[in-house]
Amino acid sequence: MFEPSETAEVNGVRLYPVDELVGENTNYVPGANLSPKGYVVIATTEYGDAYCVDLNDEMHGHHPLVLMSHGVDWQDLSDCHRQCKTDPLTTI
């Protein structure tokens, strides 16, 4: 109900309509590599990094929001997963 009708960019963060978010999570890096690991891309930066909801964790009844770099090999998430658990951006 609250999705933008087209891609909106605010301060270098891109918010997409739902159909484009599906593509971000299935066809494009890093989302395509992150979604099977329990991360859902909800926005990207102008540099290709991804804001994700971490469905693997819950903090006080909310899922953390983490920023994932597009420049990391997402085939092995062990280092990132450990960092994201200790330094989330926020919770939603």
Side-chain angles (χ1 to χ4, degrees):
M1 178 178 1
F2 298 105
E3 73 176 295
S5 58
E6 59 185 41
T7 300
E9 186 168 332
V10 179
N11 295 328
V13 176
R14 294 182 179 141
L15 305 172
Y16 299 101
V18 171
D19 62 331
E20 289 185 44
L21 282 176
V22 171
E24 286 291 331
N25 284 283
T26 57
N27 300 323
Y28 308 116
V29 173
N33 292 328
L34 292 169
S35 61
K37 297 174 181 351
Y39 295 89
V40 178
V41 175
I42 59 168
T44 63
T45 69
E46 60 190 335
Y47 303 108
D49 299 333
Y51 286 96
C52 302
V53 175
D54 181 356
L55 300 178
N56 300 300
D57 198 5
E58 193 172 315
M59 297 167 43
H60 310 291
H62 303 280
H63 295 282
L65 179 63
V66 295
L67 179 59
M68 301 292 208
S69 171
H70 73 283
V72 173
D73 180 6
W74 295 112
Q75 300 305 317
D76 177 20
L77 254 182
S78 57
D79 289 337
C80 171
H81 191 68
R82 196 168 37 253
Q83 178 183 357
C84 292
K85 297 298 182 197
T86 59
D87 190 25
L89 293 173
T90 187
T91 58
I92 59 171

